[in-house]
Amino acid sequence: DFGEAVYNSFSEILHLLKKYNEFIFIYPAHTYHPHESVEYFNKFCDDNNIKHDVLYDFKNEDIKAGRAFVVLEDVDLAQILDRAKKMKYKLGQDIGILSYNETPMKRFICEGITVISTNFEEMGRKAAEYITKKETVQITIPTSVKIRESL
């Protein structure tokens, strides 16, 4: 679920997002991530009176204090972290970061990167179940937020 689950995840961290002046979704033109997330991002921001923008090309974008970023690609995450370090910004205070998809390293990078992620272990179990039982499975794997220091 890349729509309502995303909206609900943002709602869960609304109190953290309110610390920032602007919420930015970095949505690269080359991604396979469903555009539905952008639609629900815009709806969430409109519903909560949050200044927001969607960036399709992040390459030349400035990192300004007071912004929180949603990042799909780890390459963009690395660029934000690099620019923030050069500006001496502190994550969770000067800027915020919410990254898609949990990875083991995101727990350790910069005291922890907040993530919105599906349960990949559950997805793997369901895929194995499909293969071993040869039964079609059509379910929605839950999405959750893991709050860490970056937000």
Side-chain angles (χ1 to χ4, degrees):
D1 180 3
F2 293 95
E4 192 172 313
V6 169
Y7 187 100
N8 292 338
S9 295
F10 291 154
S11 296
E12 186 179 327
I13 57 170
L14 177 61
H15 65 289
L16 296 171
L17 296 173
K18 290 285 187 176
K19 296 189 309 188
Y20 303 97
N21 302 325
E22 191 173 11
F23 196 20
I24 308 293
F25 196 130
I26 300 172
Y27 189 84
H30 64 274
T31 188
Y32 293 108
H33 190 88
H35 195 266
E36 180 181 15
S37 293
V38 172
E39 294 162 15
Y40 275 82
F41 166 81
N42 286 326
K43 179 177 175 15
F44 169 80
C45 292
D46 289 343
D47 289 350
N48 291 283
N49 297 314
I50 296 173
K51 182 179 176 186
H52 62 284
D53 198 4
V54 178
L55 301 177
Y56 296 94
D57 182 9
F58 179 68
K59 194 179 339 179
N60 298 316
E61 186 67 27
D62 288 333
I63 301 293
K64 296 177 185 166
R67 287 179 160 183
F69 296 89
V70 178
V71 184
L72 297 177
E73 307 284 336
D74 283 351
V75 67
D76 292 327
L77 174 60
Q79 285 183 26
I80 290 174
L81 294 174
D82 186 49
R83 293 177 197 174
K85 183 177 180 178
K86 288 176 183 168
M87 299 292 290
K88 299 189 183 339
Y89 288 156
K90 179 143 177 64
L91 297 186
Q93 291 178 13
D94 299 314
I95 66 166
I97 297 176
L98 173 62
S99 182
Y100 254 88
N101 297 327
E102 176 73 301
T103 64
M105 292 306 297
K106 289 179 184 171
R107 290 182 293 151
F108 303 106
I109 297 169
C110 298
E111 307 297 321
I113 303 295
T114 300
V115 295
I116 179 173
S117 187
T118 191
N119 185 329
F120 289 106
E121 289 179 19
E122 180 69 14
M123 188 182 296
R125 278 194 290 278
K126 292 297 181 186
E129 192 176 297
Y130 167 74
I131 292 167
T132 58
K133 294 183 179 177
K134 307 239 189 285
E135 294 176 1
T136 301
V137 178
Q138 187 171 1
I139 61 167
T140 301
I141 304 293
T143 299
S144 63
V145 177
K146 294 184 182 184
I147 300 171
R148 298 187 179 120
E149 296 299 315
S150 70
L151 202 59

